Amino acid sequence: MKEIADILKAHQKAVKDHKKTALATVVKVEGSSYRRPGARMLITEDGQLTGAISGGCLEGDALRKALSAIVQQENKLITYDTTDEDDAKIGVQLGCNGIVHILFEPIIDQVVFNPIAILRALQAKREDAVLVTLFSLNSRIQPGTSMLYRKDGIQANSSAELRPTIIEDIAEVWRNKTAAFTSYTIAGNELDCFLEFVRPPVSLVIAGAGNDAQPLAEVAYLLGWEVTVVDGRPTHASAARFPNANQVLVAKPEQVLGQVNIDEQTAFVLMTHNYNYDLDLLNRLLDTQTPYIGTLGPRKKLTRMLEELNRNTAENKSRIHGPVGLDIGAETAEEIAISIIAEIKSVFSGASAGLLKEKKSPIHVHEIKANP
């Protein structure tokens, strides 16, 4: 979501500066690629790039393709094929053995529901959503970013004839909470479809406003997470000390849960260095559906807290991450922040947090296909 947020800011500035723009989206990948479907980049007519569709190897050629789309005012699908060892044939060296399909869409600001408007609607609510992008591998017809689905309704600029079928597949994507590819035939034309399941960013609540909480808040901010810092000490919990936090609260443990929203993407890290504060807040969190609770400090501290609360059950032990973080040999506050962020990311992604060189399967999970 941070990439989308950055793109929206860049587009807003481009409009203010009267610059034309195009959106590049990775819509399909076969084989190996640095970025996966859903990666996006905004290109302005004077060559400014926001976001990324590769590790940097495609951006130069993508700029030329985007400018062509802007001039011609039509969507274009470009395929980069590097399965041939001589990848210089296409003019770029990707360093990957795969086929990448990228859709270029000129942004026409006068069109009410253009791709940027769809992304802005996506960002407007902290809810799960499905983005629908239509393209064609076999023809010049490239409808592009076409639909946004949420549980309370759908916004679309796609064909009404196609919509009932897409909604059925959206429902499957919604249930599986993963992306999917499928295809449709409309008016004799075959259209490919990328259904992208999009979750809101992680909401990180840091209980503790000490010096060691500052790098944790900063790293989370750099990832585009929503950051809340809470502490009972007004001298520590201040916007001056946490300038990039979404909110900074001075609150007692019994006041915290009434001031934060908890959903499936919320993580709490208890690091006040005040035993009684952490104890009280932990007791309250165990009565919520918070998917991630991390406690700073040794395991024996967590065990002691659970025993004092008479809640030292196997279920609670498995639910709480204490000591919080991955074992990376962290010593400094900055290193500990990386350790904690990495663990939270792995938990919400369902990843093993192991060494990639020891992973037997592909690095990226392949998307399911809605209609085999």
Side-chain angles (χ1 to χ4, degrees), residues 215-235:
L216 179 61
E218 282 301 302
V219 175
Y221 162 75
L222 290 174
L223 294 178
W225 294 4
E226 296 178 2
V227 180
T228 297
V229 178
V230 57
D231 198 300
R233 302 167 292 180
T235 55

Side-chain angles (χ1 to χ4, degrees), residues 50 96 146 156 197 220 234 272 274 337 360:
T50 302
C96 298
S146 303
F197 183 75
T272 65
N274 181 319
K360 305 302 181 183

Side-chain angles (χ1 to χ4, degrees), residues 94-117:
L94 295 185
C96 298
N97 188 30
I99 302 174
V100 185
H101 304 277
I102 298 177
L103 181 67
F104 294 88
E105 301 175 84
I107 305 304
I108 304 173
D109 296 315
Q110 293 74 20
V111 175
V112 176
F113 208 55
N114 63 51
I116 290 295

Side-chain angles (χ1 to χ4, degrees), residues 312-331:
N312 191 17
T313 65
E315 179 183 357
N316 284 336
K317 284 182 177 179
S318 64
R319 181 182 175 191
I320 303 169
H321 299 264
V324 66
L326 300 182
D327 183 8
I328 61 172
E331 293 289 343

Side-chain angles (χ1 to χ4, degrees), residues 358-371:
E358 295 178 356
K359 189 172 183 177
K360 305 302 181 183
S361 59
I363 294 175
H364 298 286
V365 178
H366 291 291
E367 291 77 10
I368 64 168
K369 189 175 179 65
N371 286 341

Side-chain angles (χ1 to χ4, degrees), residues 2 36 92 139 197 252 286 314 325:
K2 183 180 188 301
R36 305 304 296 172
V92 292
S139 73
F197 183 75
K252 297 177 181 179
L286 289 174

Side-chain angles (χ1 to χ4, degrees), residues 32-34 54-59 80-82 87-88 90 92-100:
S32 176
S33 175
Y34 187 83
S54 74
C57 44
L58 277 182
E59 274 65 7
Y80 296 93
D81 186 350
T82 60
D87 60 11
I90 63 171
V92 292
Q93 289 73 46
L94 295 185
C96 298
N97 188 30
I99 302 174
V100 185

